[in-house]
Amino acid sequence: MAKHYKRILLTGAAGRLGTELRKGLALLADHVRLADRTEIEDIQAHEEALTFDLSDEAAVFEAVRDVDAIVHFGGAPLETAWKTVLSSNIEGSYNIYEAARRHGVGRVVYASSVHAIGYHPLQAHIDTEAPVRPDSLYGVSKCFVESLSRLYWDKFGIESVCVRIFSSFPEPADRRMLWSYLSFDDCVRLVSASLTAPHVGHTISFGLSDNALKPVDNARAGHLGYRPQDSSEPFRQAIEARTDPADPGAAATRFLGGWFCELGHPDDEAGK
Amino acid sequence: MAKHYKRILLTGAAGRLGTELRKGLALLADHVRLADRTEIEDIQAHEEALTFDLSDEAAVFEAVRDVDAIVHFGGAPLETAWKTVLSSNIEGSYNIYEAARRHGVGRVVYASSVHAIGYHPLQAHIDTEAPVRPDSLYGVSKCFVESLSRLYWDKFGIESVCVRIFSSFPEPADRRMLWSYLSFDDCVRLVSASLTAPHVGHTISFGLSDNALKPVDNARAGHLGYRPQDSSEPFRQAIEARTDPADPGAAATRFLGGWFCELGHPDDEAGK
Amino acid sequence: MAKHYKRILLTGAAGRLGTELRKGLALLADHVRLADRTEIEDIQAHEEALTFDLSDEAAVFEAVRDVDAIVHFGGAPLETAWKTVLSSNIEGSYNIYEAARRHGVGRVVYASSVHAIGYHPLQAHIDTEAPVRPDSLYGVSKCFVESLSRLYWDKFGIESVCVRIFSSFPEPADRRMLWSYLSFDDCVRLVSASLTAPHVGHTISFGLSDNALKPVDNARAGHLGYRPQDSSEPFRQAIEARTDPADPGAAATRFLGGWFCELGHPDDEAGK
Amino acid sequence: MAKHYKRILLTGAAGRLGTELRKGLALLADHVRLADRTEIEDIQAHEEALTFDLSDEAAVFEAVRDVDAIVHFGGAPLETAWKTVLSSNIEGSYNIYEAARRHGVGRVVYASSVHAIGYHPLQAHIDTEAPVRPDSLYGVSKCFVESLSRLYWDKFGIESVCVRIFSSFPEPADRRMLWSYLSFDDCVRLVSASLTAPHVGHTISFGLSDNALKPVDNARAGHLGYRPQDSSEPFRQAIEARTDPADPGAAATRFLGGWFCELGHPDDEAGK
Amino acid sequence: MAKHYKRILLTGAAGRLGTELRKGLALLADHVRLADRTEIEDIQAHEEALTFDLSDEAAVFEAVRDVDAIVHFGGAPLETAWKTVLSSNIEGSYNIYEAARRHGVGRVVYASSVHAIGYHPLQAHIDTEAPVRPDSLYGVSKCFVESLSRLYWDKFGIESVCVRIFSSFPEPADRRMLWSYLSFDDCVRLVSASLTAPHVGHTISFGLSDNALKPVDNARAGHLGYRPQDSSEPFRQAIEARTDPADPGAAATRFLGGWFCELGHPDDEAGK
Amino acid sequence: MAKHYKRILLTGAAGRLGTELRKGLALLADHVRLADRTEIEDIQAHEEALTFDLSDEAAVFEAVRDVDAIVHFGGAPLETAWKTVLSSNIEGSYNIYEAARRHGVGRVVYASSVHAIGYHPLQAHIDTEAPVRPDSLYGVSKCFVESLSRLYWDKFGIESVCVRIFSSFPEPADRRMLWSYLSFDDCVRLVSASLTAPHVGHTISFGLSDNALKPVDNARAGHLGYRPQDSSEPFRQAIEARTDPADPGAAATRFLGGWFCELGHPDDEAGK
C-alpha cells in the first residue's frame, strides 16, 4: 500500500515541535513540504522547504498547492502583542483554511493549545466539549481557529483535528508539567493518529502524555486512536527535589492555563 | 434612587436594533452616548452622538471615556467579505473591549448571534454551553467576541452578556421566524435585563420571544431575569397563508442558522 | 395557501382517539382516508374509509397509495395476548412503514405510549432520550415501532413523530390521571403540531396536558411547537372527593406506567 | 372523602412560617398538633398544642404519638453558635426522625434551606441533585437532616420532602429577594403539595415563588405538583427606588446564600 | 465450591461464536445444553445437544427445562428478509424469554449487536444508555429483545446482560475492525463475566477488545468486571498494508454500524 | 528540598489503617503527631503521640497546634449507637475542623466512607458528585463531615480531601471485596497523593484498588494523581473456592454499602 498521503504541508516546521514532527510525517506521506518564516536546514530527500510569513495570503496559497493534508503548527507560540496575534494567528490561520478550501485539501491538523481553555480549574475535569475559557490573547486566537475550522468542516467539508497541546518539551521542567507534560514522541503519535484515523470530521483532542495526575477527560477524542506511551513519572523525583511545592491557592496552580493566568495584558507595560 | 448607570455607550446606534434600544436605555442611564459610522439624527436631550468607525482604535478609546456600561451592537450585521468581518467585527470589538479595560467599564452587553451556533440542528435543543458551530464568517466573528469577552471577565473582571439574537424584526417575515422571532420590545427587555441583573459575570443568553416552537434551552441565563412577553403566534395565520411549507430536508429548515447555512463563501463569486 | 397535505391516512380511525383526530385532520389535508378494522360511519365529504386488518400486508399497501402523511393510531390499545400484540402492533406497524417507504410517504405520526417507558419512576423525571423500560408486551410493541421508525428515518428518510400518549380520555378518571391526563383537544393539538412542524426527523414527544404535577421533561420535543392548553386541575376537587389517596408505596403510584406495572403476564391465567 | 391525614404534627409552630402553615394544614388533616418551645396562643378547635424543646428526646417521642405526618419547621432558624446548632437542629431533628420511625409515621416535610447550597453561584443554575455547599453551620445542619432523612427513606421507608426555603417573608425586603422570594401563600402551597403528592420517596425541592429571575432549576421536584402563584415583580419598583444596585462582585450578590456567605464563624467574636 | 451453574442452555451453539463459547461455559456449569437448528457434533461428556428452530415454541419450552442460565446466541446473524427476522429473532427470542419465565431461569446473556446502535456516529462516543439507532431490520430485532428483556427484569425478575457484539472474528479482517474487533477469547471473557457478576439486573454492555481506537464508552457496564485482554494492534500493519485508507466521508466509515448503514432494504431487489 | 510538611497530625493512629499510614506519612513530613484514644506504642524518632478523645475540644485544640496538615482517620469505624456517632464522629470532627481553622492548618485528609453513598446501586455507576445516600448512622456522620469540610473550604479556605474508603483490609475477605477492595498500600498511596497534589480545594475521592469490577467512576478526582497498583484479582480463585456465589437479589449484593444496607437501626434490640 502507498502511504496515507502524497504531500503534507507542515507549517511552523522550524519550531520546537515542528522539528519533531518532521520525523513522524516522513512515515505518512511521500512528500513533506516544510514551511516557516525562518529558513530550514537539513532538508531531506522527501522534503521541500518554503520560507514565508503566514499573513502573506498569496504565499500561503502557493504553499498549499498539490497538498492533501496540512499540519498547521505555525504562528506565534506564546502570549504576545495583539497586532502580532491578529496577523500571525488569526489572519495567518484564515489564509491556511482558505487555501485548503480552494485547493481541495481534505484534512488539517491544527496546533491549538491548553490556553484556549486555560481558565478552567483542574478540579472541573472538563472534557473537550466544555465552553472555551482562554487565558490570553494567544488563547483567544486558538479559540478563533477552532471555530473557523468548525465552519470549514460543517460548510465546506474539510476535516480538522484541533490538538490542544499542554506542555510539550524535551522533559517536564517544573511541577506543573508533572500533569501537563506531553512528550515529543507522544506529540508525534497524536498528530499521526489525527492524520490516519478513518474519519475525524471536526475533532478536538487534548494533547497530554499518560501522566499520573489527570486534570481533563479526553474520551470524546477516542476515535483518533491516540494512545500516549510516555509519562512524567520518571522525572518526578528530580523535579520535586529541586523545586518547592506549589502554592495551592495561586491561580497558576488552580487553573489549567498555569502561569498564563497570571500574566497581565501584553500591551501594558506591566504585561510586557 | 438614581438610574443604574451614569452613561451608557451604544454602538451601532443607527442600526435597526440600535434605534429601538435608544428608547430602552433612556430608562437606565442619565446619559446615553450613541455611536455609529453613519450620522444619527433626532438626538434627545439625554443623548450625545459620535460618528466613527469601530476599527479606529483612537476614536473608540475616546468614545468609551466616562462610560460605565457599553451596549455593543455595532459591526457588520450579516455575512460579508472576510476583510470586512476582520476589520469591523474582530478588530472593532477588540478595540471596544480594550477601551473598556483601560477606562474601567464594568459591564458590556454584546450583540452576538444565532449564527455563532447556526449549524446545530433544531432537534439538538442545545443550551448556551453547547460548543459553537458558526455558519458563516460573520458567525465566526461572533464566536471570537464571545471568547474575547470571556477572557476579559476571567482575567480583567469586566462583566459581559453575549446576547445571541435570532431574528429581530418588526414582525416575523417568514415561516422560520415563527420560531426564531425576537420582537423589538423583547430585544429591549433582554438588553435591559442584562444591564440591571445583579451579577452577570460572563453570561450567554439566547435572544428569542416566547414563540410556540422552542428550539433551544435558555435556562442557564435565568439569572438575567429576562421574561419575553411577545410571540410569533399572532402572525402565524398570515404567514402560513402567504408562504409554502418548508422543505423538511433543507439545511435552512433543519439548522438553527437557517439560510446562512446555505450560503457559499462570501469571497467566492457564487457567494457574493 | 393550500393545506399542508393532499391526503392523510388515519389508522385506528374508529377508536377513541381516532374519532377525535378526524376533526383535527380536516384542517390539515384536502382528503383524509380513514382506516380501521371495524366499519366507520358518518363519512364526511373530505373523507374516505377503508376496512381492513393491519396485518393484511396487501390491504395496507393499497391504503397508503396516494397518501403524503400517515397518522398511525391503529393496533391493540392495551395489554393483550402475545399473538395479538405480534400481529396487530408489530407486523401491522411494519406493514405501515414498508408501505410508506414504497409509496414515498414523507411523514408518519405514531401513537406510541407511556407504556414504552412505564417502569421509570416518576421521581426520575426522565426526558425523551431515557432508555425504554416497557411495562407490558403492549409497551414492548411500542418500543419496537419507535426503533423501527428510527431506522426508516436514518436509512430511508421517512420522518416520524412518536407520540407517547399518557391517559387520553374525555376527562381524568382517577387520581393518577391528575398527572397523566391528555385532553382530547391537546391530543389533537399535538398530532397537528407533529404534522406541521417544519422538520421533525425522528422525534419522540410525551403526550400530556399542562397538568400541575409534571413527572417528565418534554423539552427535547420543543421543535414541534406543541403547547398544551388544558389541565386536570378543574377536575381535581371532584376526583379527590370521590377517591381515596393513593398508596405511596404501590407500583401503580410510583411508576409512570401506573397499573400496567401491576399486571401479570397476559398469557397466564392470572394475567388474563 | 376524609382529609388526607388524621393528625399532623407541626414543629416550630410559633415561628414566622409555622403561623402561616397552621392555616394550610387545617385543610389537610382532622387534627393538627402544634409544637414549639414557646407557648402558642389562639388554639383552634382542630388544634392541640405542646411546649417542649426538640432536644428533649422523651418529649419528642410523646409528641409524635398518633401522628401520621410531620411538618418539621422547628429548630434554630439562622446562623448561630455551634452548641445551639448541634442541640436544636442536629439532635432535635434526629429525635424527630427516630420518633417517626418508632411510631410508624409515613411522611415528613422538612424545612431545609437555601443555606444548604448557599455557596453555589447563581450562574451555576443548579438543580436539586447538585452537591451540597453549605454557607454556615446552620446550613451544615440542614445538610445533616437531608442526609438523615435520605437514610430513613432508603432503610426505613419513611417518605420525606426537604423544602429548601429561600426567603419567606411577608414581602421581599431587598434586591436579593427579587429572586429569592417565597411568599407565605406559596410556602403553604409547597408544603401542602408535599403532603398530598401521591408518592414522594425522598424529594428535595427548592422553595421559591414565580419570580422573574430564576437562579435554580426545580424540575426534578415536578412530581410534587407545586405551582407557585406569586412573584416579587409587584414589589420591584418600590425596592429599586429605595435601595442601591447590588455590587456585582460581592459574595452576597454572586452566591445563592446571599449575606450568609459573608458572615464569619459564629463562635468568633467577629462572627457574633 | 460447586460451579456457578448446574445447567446452562446455549442457543446458536453451532455458530461461529457458539463454538467458542462451548469452551468457556464448560468452566462455569456442570452441564451445558447445546441448541441449534443444525446438528452439532463432537458432543463432550458435560454437554447435551438439541436440534430445533427457535420459532418452535414447544421445543424451546422443553429446551429450557432444568436450566438455570441461558446464553442466547441463536437467530439470524445478519441482515435478512423481514419474515426471517420476525420468525427467528423476534418470535424466537420471545419464546426463549417466556420459557425462562415459566421455568424460573435466573439469568440470560443475550447476543445483541452493534447494529442496534449502528447509526450513531463514532464521534458521538455514546455510552450504553444512548437511544437505539438500528441500521437494519436485523438491528431492529436486537432492539426488540433489549426492550423485551428489560420488561422481563422489571416485571418478572429475570436478569439479563445484552452484549452488543461489534465484530467477533478470528482476527480483524479490514480497517473498520481495527476499532470494532472483539477477539474470540474476549468474547468468551465477556460472556463469562456476565454469567458470574454478582448482580446484573438488566445490563447492556458493548462487546469490544481493548483496541487503540475507542468509539464508545462502556463504563456503565463496569459492574460486570469484564476486562478485555486482546487488541487489534498486532494486526494493524498487515491490514494497512493490504487495504486502502477508508473514505472519511462514507457512511460505512462514519457510523458504528459500518457497511450495514449502506445496505438497502432486504426485501428490495437491490437490497438482496 | 524539604519534605512537604513540617508536622502532620494523624488521628485514629492506633487503628487498622492508622498503623499503615504511619509508614507513608514518614516520607512526607519531618514530624508526625499520632493521636488516638488508646495508647500507641513503638513511637519512632520522627513521631510524637497523644492520647485523648476527639470529643474533648480542648485536647483536640492542643493536638492541632504547630501542625500544617491533618490526616483525620479517628472516630467510630462502624455502625454504632447514635450517642457514640454523635460524640465521636460529629462533635469530634467538628472539633478537628475548628482547631484547624484556629491554628491555620492548610489541608485535611478525611477518612470518609462508602457508607456515605451506600444505598446507590452498583449499576448506577455514580461519580463523586452523586447525591449522598448513607446506609447507616455511621454513614450519615460521614456525610456530615463531607458537608462541614465543604464549608470550611468555601468560607475559611481550608483544603480537604474526603476519601471514601471502601474495604481496606490486609486482603479481600469475601466476594464483595472482589470489587470493594482497597489494599493497605493503595490506601497509603491515596492519602499521600491527597497530601501532595498541588491544589485540592474540596475534593471527594473514592478509595479503591484497581479491581476488575468497577462499580463507580473516580475521574473527577483525577487531579489527585492517585494510581492504584493493587487488585483483588490474585485473591479471586481462593475466595470463589471457599464461598458461595452471592444472591443477586440481596440488598448486600445490589448496593455499594453491602451488608450495612441490611443492618437494622443500631438502637433497636434487633440492630445491636
Side-chain angles (χ1 to χ4, degrees), chain E residues 204-262:
Chain E
I204 294 174
S205 174
F206 296 120
L208 283 168
S209 284
D210 184 29
N211 307 315
L213 193 155
K214 302 202 173 305
V216 292
D217 171 4
N218 204 32
R220 287 183 182 278
H223 57 286
L224 298 182
Y226 163 59
R227 281 199 166 174
Q229 295 177 21
D230 297 322
S231 163
S232 61
E233 282 304 298
F235 306 94
R236 175 181 292 275
Q237 207 166 2
I239 290 174
E240 291 189 349
R242 73 171 184 263
T243 59
D244 285 328
D247 171 5
T253 310
R254 292 162 51 211
F255 295 115
L256 291 176
W259 57 275
F260 270 55
C261 296
E262 296 184 344

Side-chain angles (χ1 to χ4, degrees), chain C residues 88-101:
Chain C
S88 297
N89 293 13
I90 292 179
E91 293 190 74
S93 297
Y94 176 80
N95 290 339
I96 287 285
Y97 272 91
E98 255 303 273
R101 183 178 74 90

Side-chain angles (χ1 to χ4, degrees), chain F residues 37-48:
Chain F
R37 59 180 187 175
T38 62
E39 207 165 338
I40 297 168
E41 296 172 357
D42 289 332
I43 306 297
Q44 306 298 306
H46 70 284
E47 293 178 328
E48 53 199 53

Side-chain angles (χ1 to χ4, degrees), chain C residues 138-205:
Chain C
Y138 169 74
V140 171
S141 76
K142 296 294 168 178
C143 299
F144 169 82
V145 184
E146 289 188 358
S147 63
L148 183 76
S149 56
R150 181 84 232 187
L151 173 68
Y152 274 73
W153 163 244
D154 279 333
K155 187 165 247 174
F156 305 117
I158 300 174
E159 293 189 297
S160 280
V161 180
C162 296
V163 178
R164 288 178 178 164
I165 295 167
F166 278 58
S167 306
S168 202
F169 288 91
E171 60 178 74
D174 57 28
R175 286 189 181 227
R176 177 173 171 263
M177 289 197 200
L178 289 175
W179 59 259
S180 67
Y181 180 55
L182 174 68
S183 76
F184 282 162
D185 285 351
D186 278 342
C187 183
V188 173
R189 283 182 193 107
L190 175 49
V191 170
S192 300
S194 299
L195 286 166
T196 58
H199 169 85
V200 302
H202 185 267
T203 297
I204 294 175
S205 174

Side-chain angles (χ1 to χ4, degrees), chain E residues 153-203:
Chain E
W153 163 245
D154 279 333
K155 186 165 247 172
F156 305 118
I158 300 173
E159 293 189 295
S160 281
V161 180
C162 297
V163 178
R164 288 177 178 164
I165 294 167
F166 278 58
S167 305
S168 203
F169 288 90
E171 60 177 72
D174 57 28
R175 288 189 179 226
R176 175 172 172 263
M177 289 197 201
L178 289 175
W179 60 260
S180 68
Y181 179 55
L182 174 68
S183 76
F184 282 161
D185 285 350
D186 278 341
C187 184
V188 173
R189 283 182 194 106
L190 176 49
V191 171
S192 300
S194 300
L195 285 166
T196 59
H199 170 87
V200 302
H202 185 268
T203 297

Side-chain angles (χ1 to χ4, degrees), chain B residues 3 37 73 86 137 151 182 226:
Chain B
K3 291 186 178 176
R37 59 180 187 176
F73 272 56
L86 181 68
L137 297 180
L151 172 68
L182 173 69
Y226 164 59

